[in-house]
């Protein structure tokens, strides 16, 4: 299909010099993904002096399918991949990859639990028992995302970083990380999905061979950890370019970072503030969400300008019980999918199964890592907020938004309300801003406190 024409400031960014680093921050719906495609086509254009192999990389596999759907012959010199495919390919080329050497999330959690028990040494009153294994798992992941390798860096980051741990607890996290890595190695796993980026970054640092790509374009960059971005800046050719597109308001992995720490030599990012996707009513709700306390202190947050298009208010529907909620959402979403694209978005796979279990596989498309098709005009999609990153649909349905479920009680217990509220509010932002025209929010009992409370933002009903 033909590539869309650039709009407004998009033209300025599209034709920026093909050397060095560029960062573009924009509100959801401002056309970042469109421009990532256009920029990739421009950088790889064989008729230009700056032409060269170009990598368009994103975090989400579902978004890779969407980008390939949007691709045209102009992108024949562009390789579209998600980060982990890129990482495995590069480490394999460097002979640093073996069969089945990446720890699965399930095995990782098991090994973390075992590591916590090992550090506790069987003592029920050991200081480590003040926190759950879920807490240690999250903090260890955070140290990987920031690229901390030495024990000194780990300790310094844990004490002075966003977790702000005291030295005793930071030392316990470090001990859990060491025990986990030892157990992982014994299980024949060289990496997990977080520290594989550290391996790529370290290997890139000593790799003096000619780079495979002249240009690297990063889409939905807010989902990448700093060490992932750092490794991608090393992947571009010496005389090439790195272009970063991101939206800080959707930064759902908690990876606060400076441009320098992520390897990007950027003095001032370009800002995209026009919202070309959402109706005014949907954008108003998203903007109200970003003004909640959970969003304070995020650097470079772009406040979206309201779009010109008007539409219905987002619907906030209170359901009598869970079965009624599932039935209502399925009926409404299937109806919407007859005339446009519709998505049911939920927090996790368990919630997803509540809606897919009563459907035939041919009745919907699942947003997940192995999806391989995209229907541009009509169809029902079902998946998680994470799986929907970077995508858009005519209608979006967000069920299961009751106070007793959002934020996740287990996350609150492990990390506290501040961290849990911030992470889940950003997930809600992701879901809300996927909708072009129609947005339906559903709950049983009392609705989550994370949604803005202003009645004027919703059309409320019960079923």
């Amino acid at each position: 299909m033909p590539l869309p024409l650039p709009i407004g400031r998009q033209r300025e960014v599209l034709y920026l010099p093909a050397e060095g680093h560029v960062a573009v921050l924009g509100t959801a719906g401002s056309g970042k993904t469109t421009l990532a495609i256009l920029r990739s086509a421009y950088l790889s254009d064989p008729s230009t002096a700056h032409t060269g192999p170009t990598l368009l990389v994103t975090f989400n596999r579902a978004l890779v399918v969407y980008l390939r759907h949007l691709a045209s012959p102009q992108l024949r010199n562009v390789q579209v991949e998600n980060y982990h495919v890129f990482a495995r390919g590069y480490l394999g080329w460097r002979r640093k990859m073996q069969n089945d050497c990446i720890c699965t999330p399930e095995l990782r959690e098991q090994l973390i639990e075992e590591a916590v028990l090992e550090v506790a040494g069987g003592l029920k009153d050991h200081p480590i028992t003040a926190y759950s294994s879920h807490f240690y798992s999250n903090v260890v992941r955070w140290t990987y995302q920031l690229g901390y390798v030495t024990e000194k860096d780990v300790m310094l980051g844990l004490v002075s970083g966003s977790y702000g741990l005291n030295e005793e607890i930071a030392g316990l996290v470090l001990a859990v990380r060491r025990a986990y890595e030892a157990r992982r190695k014994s299980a024949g796993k060289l990496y997990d999905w977080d520290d594989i980026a550290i391996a790529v970054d370290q290997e890139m640092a000593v790799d003096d061979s000619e780079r495979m790509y002249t240009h690297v374009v990063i889409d939905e960059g807010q989902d990448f950890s700093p060490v992932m971005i750092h490794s991608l800046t090393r992947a571009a050719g010496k005389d090439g370019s790195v272009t970063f597109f991101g939206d800080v308001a959707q930064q759902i992995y908690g990876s606060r970072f400076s441009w320098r720490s992520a390897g990007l030599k950027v003095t001032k990012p370009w800002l995209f503030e026009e919202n070309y996707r959402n109706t005014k009513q949907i954008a108003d709700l998203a903007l109200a969400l970003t003004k909640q306390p959970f969003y304070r202190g995020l650097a470079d947050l772009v406040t979206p300008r309201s779009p010109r298009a008007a539409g219905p208010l987002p619907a906030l529907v209170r359901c009598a019980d869970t079965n009624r909620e599932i039935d209502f959402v399925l009926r409404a979403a299937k109806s919407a999918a007859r005339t446009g694209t519709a998505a049911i978005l939920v927090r996790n796979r368990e919630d997803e199964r509540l809606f897919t279990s009563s459907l035939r596989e041919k009745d919907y498309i699942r947003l997940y890592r192995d999806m391989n098709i995209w229907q541009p005009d009509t169809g029902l999609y079902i998946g998680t907020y994470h799986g929907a990153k970077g995508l858009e649909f005519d209608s979006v349905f967000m069920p299961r938004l009751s106070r007793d479920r959002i934020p996740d009680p287990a996350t609150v217990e492990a990390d506290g309300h501040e961290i849990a509220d911030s992470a889940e509010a950003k997930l809600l932002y992701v879901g809300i801003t996927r909708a072009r025209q129609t947005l339906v929010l559903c709950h049983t009992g009392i609705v989550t406190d994370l949604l803005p409370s202003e009645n004027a933002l919703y059309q409320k009903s019960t079923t």
Side-chain angles (χ1 to χ4, degrees):
M1 63 179 291
L3 292 173
L5 296 175
I7 304 172
R9 298 197 80 195
Q10 293 179 352
R11 288 189 59 84
E12 298 179 65
V13 172
L14 173 58
Y15 298 116
L16 285 173
E19 293 183 9
H21 297 174
V22 176
V24 181
L25 298 180
T27 180
S30 60
K32 297 184 301 297
T33 292
T34 295
L35 190 55
I37 296 170
L38 293 168
R39 176 77 170 164
S40 298
Y42 170 70
L43 293 171
S44 63
D45 185 348
S47 68
T48 63
H50 59 248
T51 184
T54 300
L55 172 66
L56 174 54
V57 60
T58 188
F59 189 89
N60 185 327
R61 278 199 179 184
L63 185 53
V64 170
V65 175
Y66 179 64
L67 292 173
R68 287 174 177 164
H69 157 72
L70 294 177
S72 75
Q74 292 163 274
L75 296 180
R76 58 183 174 273
N77 294 324
V78 177
Q79 182 68 29
V80 183
E81 290 182 348
N82 79 321
Y83 180 82
H84 289 115
V85 170
F86 157 78
R88 285 183 295 172
Y90 174 72
L91 291 175
W93 178 67
R94 295 289 290 178
R95 298 185 179 181
K96 300 289 184 178
M97 180 65 59
Q98 303 170 6
N99 289 332
D100 195 27
C101 70
I102 302 176
C103 189
T104 65
E106 294 76 16
L107 178 58
R108 181 186 186 279
E109 294 307 308
Q110 175 188 327
L111 296 179
I112 289 284
E113 290 181 8
E114 294 174 0
V116 171
L117 293 175
E118 177 184 329
V119 174
L123 300 176
K124 294 184 179 180
D125 59 348
H126 193 283
I128 201 170
T129 61
Y131 298 90
S132 68
S133 61
H134 182 68
F135 166 81
Y136 291 103
S137 177
N138 284 347
V139 183
V140 168
R141 176 179 293 110
W142 182 84
T143 66
Y144 288 152
Q145 291 176 337
L146 273 292
Y148 296 147
V149 177
T150 69
E151 294 188 359
K152 179 180 178 181
D153 285 343
V154 172
M155 287 293 293
L156 181 62
L158 292 174
V159 173
S160 62
S162 58
Y163 273 95
L165 304 178
N166 62 45
E167 289 193 2
E168 180 184 26
I169 299 301
L172 292 175
V173 172
L174 177 60
V176 169
R177 174 171 153 162
R178 284 198 300 256
Y180 159 64
E181 289 174 349
R183 288 176 175 272
R184 192 180 72 191
K185 183 178 180 181
S186 296
K189 308 298 182 182
L190 301 179
Y191 318 106
D192 67 22
W193 292 112
D194 293 296
D195 74 344
I196 192 172
I198 295 178
V200 173
D201 194 52
Q202 291 179 326
E203 191 64 25
M204 284 278 185
V206 298
D207 180 4
D208 58 1
S209 62
E210 184 177 355
R211 294 299 187 243
M212 181 179 297
Y213 301 105
T214 305
H215 307 288
V216 174
V217 178
I218 303 170
D219 189 34
E220 296 294 332
Q222 72 283 339
D223 287 354
F224 289 71
S225 68
V227 71
M228 288 178 180
I229 299 169
H230 202 280
S231 67
L232 288 169
T233 64
R234 297 185 190 272
K238 183 175 64 173
D239 298 322
S241 67
V242 177
T243 310
F244 174 99
F245 293 92
D247 183 347
V248 178
Q250 295 183 47
Q251 194 178 48
I252 57 182
Y253 293 97
S255 306
R256 299 180 182 181
F257 61 91
S258 67
W259 299 119
R260 179 179 297 180
S261 69
L264 288 165
K265 299 174 183 178
V266 175
T267 55
K268 186 178 180 180
W270 287 71
L271 301 182
F272 282 5
E273 297 172 298
E274 296 291 347
N275 185 338
Y276 301 109
R277 176 192 300 149
N278 312 122
T279 63
K280 181 182 186 303
Q281 288 71 20
I282 294 172
D284 284 346
L285 178 58
L287 178 57
L289 183 60
T290 66
K291 290 181 177 178
Q292 300 276 75
F294 328 112
Y295 281 85
R296 291 177 183 170
L298 284 180
D300 298 322
L301 176 61
V302 179
T303 301
R305 297 175 184 169
S306 294
R308 297 184 183 89
L313 285 170
L316 183 59
V317 182
R318 179 177 178 178
C319 302
D321 53 48
T322 299
N323 290 334
R324 187 71 173 266
E325 183 178 20
I326 295 170
D327 179 64
F328 168 77
V329 169
L330 282 173
R331 283 190 290 107
K334 286 191 287 186
S335 176
R338 296 189 188 105
T339 56
T341 54
I344 300 174
L345 302 181
V346 292
R347 179 207 282 144
N348 54 37
R349 297 303 182 197
E350 181 180 346
D351 285 348
E352 181 186 304
R353 285 190 287 272
L354 291 175
F355 295 90
T356 60
S357 60
S358 61
L359 297 173
R360 298 171 299 178
E361 286 189 9
K362 67 177 184 178
D363 291 336
Y364 69 96
I365 299 172
R366 184 184 174 203
L367 299 171
Y368 75 121
R369 62 186 304 171
D370 293 326
M371 70 178 294
N372 55 18
I373 59 172
W374 186 267
Q375 294 181 194
D377 299 319
T378 62
L380 175 62
Y381 294 79
I382 302 179
T384 65
Y385 302 126
H386 290 274
K389 288 305 306 301
L391 307 177
E392 57 184 46
F393 308 90
D394 295 320
S395 303
V396 167
F397 298 82
M398 297 172 59
R400 311 277 283 161
L401 298 181
S402 61
R403 180 192 288 176
D404 61 353
R405 300 193 69 259
I406 306 291
D408 176 36
T411 305
V412 173
E413 181 181 358
D415 298 333
H417 259 292
E418 183 176 353
I419 291 176
D421 288 354
S422 178
E424 297 238 22
K426 293 180 182 66
L427 285 173
L428 293 179
Y429 178 92
V430 172
I432 289 169
T433 55
R434 300 309 94 199
R436 293 193 191 103
Q437 301 164 4
T438 302
L439 176 64
V440 181
L441 312 170
C442 297
H443 66 99
T444 59
I446 301 174
V447 69
T448 176
D449 294 326
L450 298 188
L451 284 174
S453 59
E454 296 93 325
N455 288 330
L457 292 170
Y458 309 98
Q459 179 180 347
K460 295 186 177 181
S461 63
T462 59
T463 181

